[in-house]
Amino acid sequence: MDSIWIKGGKRLEGKIPISGAKNAALTLLPCALLTSDKLTLRNLPRLADVDSFGHLLNGLGASTAIEGVKKGEVGRRMTLHAAEIESTVAPYDMVRKMRASVLVLGPMLARAGEATVSLPGGCAIGDRPIDLHLKALEAMGAEIELAAGYVKASAPKGRLPGGDYSFPVVSVGATENALMAAVLATGRTQLFNAAREPEIADLCNLLVAMGAKIDGIGSAHLIIDGVEGLNGTTYDVMPDRIEAGSYACAAAITGGSLELVGARLDDMRAIFTALSHAGLMLEFCENSIRVTADTRLKPLALSTSPFPGFPTDMQAQFMAMLALADGDSFLEETIFENRYMHVPELRRMGADIDIHGRSAIVHGVKGLTGATVMATDLRASMSLILAGLAAEGETEVLRVYHLDRGYERLEEKLSAVGATIERRSAG
């Protein structure tokens, strides 16, 4: 099993290209099921989750052809073609690998009139039920049955009629599934209190490019008028705001200066506001954002919340960064329970952190010390990488298969800006 070895204490400086967004890519891929035409996605990150989703789509009848990076492009391109949906069953052995697999439910139901999808697995950062997905689909006319660990959904007359649904709490995945189901309905669907994350807007923009009719993009009120069919298209995956935020924290924790090429301000205002309050200097260029740390970090008080608030996917990285701040920081995790599993590992490196339920107090220390630590989930693994970059001595991060789910070419990107880091294989 691979690990990441780091010799800390190096100031990072240079440019880091930001890859296509994992969370957007996993939402755009199932759109291939909505049309018999070809769909080509560009700027696609090379990640384990993307590959797993491709295999899932293969099992449903979609072909996938991957090309390397072409001149003038940043990431790979994948052409998907679901001329026919050969199976409407997404089995447990595929879906258990990642929760995003449940996003085939809406598009299969919309196009084929039925779908059977295993209840999802995924990382252990708390209970994330899919009840809101199912309630939204029921409001649009779907009949839902839960049996033997599977969701069986059907449209009584072959196509959903559409309908209105107000989410009791904001849910990104449920909004995405409902959107994809609604675009081929026979009538109008309205989604109230819909998620507003940039990845939702990216999904809407792709669907519109395929011929869907969607109003209210970027707002909490989405209006979808169903169409008879969708066409194929070529579309660029948005840059990964969480990857960009993570590397911004790398500049901060090492006292460095990094230019995040491709990062977009509008996707990351809460992140950059927090970095500014921590004392970072920010320079906004035409196609990049430079983050520079020239003084000791200031403590922060942060609470995670749905977009446009501070993202839960950045909480662990900021905690690592604030472990070296000049004072006490307060963090509150409002989205997921069990998302402080990285804290014991950070403590092994000398961090001083108190946990009280969903709140954490991070007492800034003068320095961290390298240690052997174990990643517990995707973002936790990045927090340990960040701590290792700043720590005195050597750090080895185990179980980095979590990391490979969300960060493309991490060792290569960090090495290019001055880090001493390498991947090591056991045995």
Side-chain angles (χ1 to χ4, degrees), residues 50-339:
V50 172
D51 292 339
S52 294
F53 212 119
H55 294 319
L56 171 61
L57 293 174
N58 292 154
L60 302 176
S63 65
T64 52
I66 299 175
E67 301 176 48
V69 179
K70 293 191 173 184
K71 187 175 181 180
E73 296 181 3
V74 179
R76 296 183 301 168
R77 62 163 60 198
M78 178 186 289
T79 298
L80 305 101
H81 191 200
E84 300 286 343
I85 294 182
E86 297 175 0
S87 171
T88 57
V89 179
Y92 172 73
D93 63 340
M94 290 299 300
V95 178
R96 68 179 176 83
K97 297 178 182 178
M98 58 177 178
R99 290 190 55 85
S101 301
V102 76
L103 293 177
V104 301
L105 178 61
M108 283 201 298
L109 181 59
R111 183 172 166 200
E114 62 179 19
T116 301
V117 178
S118 171
L119 293 171
C123 52
I125 59 172
D127 185 27
R128 297 194 282 181
I130 64 166
D131 59 317
L132 296 183
H133 299 239
L134 306 184
K135 289 176 180 177
L137 294 175
E138 283 181 323
M140 295 160 58
E143 294 182 352
I144 305 291
E145 178 186 356
L146 297 177
Y150 280 80
V151 174
K152 296 183 178 181
S154 61
K157 296 182 180 180
R159 290 179 66 187
L160 295 173
D164 297 346
Y165 184 70
S166 181
F167 293 97
V169 294
V170 174
S171 171
V172 173
T175 299
E176 292 166 343
N177 240 336
L179 267 167
M180 288 185 281
V183 292
L184 293 180
T186 57
R188 168 172 286 190
T189 296
Q190 295 189 83
L191 301 176
F192 300 94
N193 197 31
R196 299 164 55 193
E197 269 68 9
E199 293 80 8
I200 299 288
D202 212 36
L203 171 61
C204 289
N205 291 333
L206 170 60
L207 292 171
V208 169
M210 295 172 69
K213 295 181 179 180
I214 305 173
D215 289 325
I217 297 174
S219 77
H221 179 199
L222 297 171
I223 304 171
I224 307 101
D225 288 306
V227 296
E228 284 294 322
L230 297 180
N231 52 263
T233 192
T234 298
Y235 189 81
D236 292 334
V237 180
M238 65 175 282
D240 196 319
R241 61 193 175 104
I242 304 302
E243 183 195 34
S246 299
Y247 288 129
C249 289
I253 202 168
T254 65
S257 180
L258 294 177
E259 184 176 351
L260 311 174
V261 180
R264 302 193 311 205
L265 173 61
D266 285 346
D267 298 339
M268 303 176 62
R269 289 187 182 275
I271 296 172
F272 285 125
T273 296
L275 290 169
S276 178
H277 289 165
L280 278 293
M281 294 177 57
L282 306 175
E283 181 182 355
F284 301 99
C285 308
E286 182 177 352
N287 187 44
S288 65
I289 300 171
R290 178 172 287 278
V291 180
T292 303
D294 58 2
T295 60
R296 190 174 179 191
L297 298 169
K298 300 176 183 177
L300 297 175
L302 294 172
S303 179
T304 62
S305 62
F307 190 86
F310 185 82
T312 180
D313 277 354
M314 283 302 304
Q315 175 260 112
Q317 299 91 307
F318 264 71
M319 179 179 285
M321 180 188 83
L322 294 170
L324 293 178
D326 186 15
D328 295 345
S329 297
F330 176 82
L331 300 179
E332 182 184 25
E333 176 56 63
T334 68
I335 308 297
F336 298 125
E337 68 274 24
N338 301 336
R339 205 159 197 183

